Amino acid sequence: MAENNAPVVNKDTMIGELLQIDTELAPILMSIGMHCLGCPSSQMETIAEAAMVHGYDADDLVDEINSYLSAKAASQPAQA
């Protein structure tokens, strides 16, 4: 986890795991053309595999996801 308690993902994170972290990540995935999020096989793809199949740079996708997660965590009230 990052300093602000945001989860951090990498290119080996599975799409299924990613959506368990935050279902609100679905629009980011759909924006690269990944409209098959409910498909069982997509759940077992890594971020890198999904990016490759959809012609998107995996590092850019990971950066976008981590930026979203960090911003969301920063906007949450601190927990005691």
Side-chain angles (χ1 to χ4, degrees):
M1 296 235 172
E3 191 172 309
N4 63 3
N5 291 328
V8 176
V9 301
N10 60 51
K11 292 189 288 189
D12 294 325
T13 303
M14 298 285 187
I15 298 300
E17 179 184 355
L18 184 62
L19 293 173
Q20 287 177 356
I21 292 169
D22 190 334
T23 57
E24 293 177 20
L25 290 166
I28 293 174
L29 299 172
M30 292 179 78
S31 75
I32 68 163
M34 190 172 187
H35 300 282
C36 52
L37 296 176
C39 174
S41 62
S42 74
Q43 300 292 303
M44 298 305 294
E45 277 186 325
T46 64
I47 291 174
E49 291 167 337
M52 180 190 65
V53 167
H54 295 283
Y56 200 83
D57 182 87
D59 291 319
D60 289 346
L61 183 55
V62 167
D63 288 346
E64 185 175 352
I65 291 167
N66 283 325
S67 292
Y68 168 84
L69 292 171
S70 181
K72 183 172 181 178
S75 71
Q76 302 292 322
Q79 295 182 3

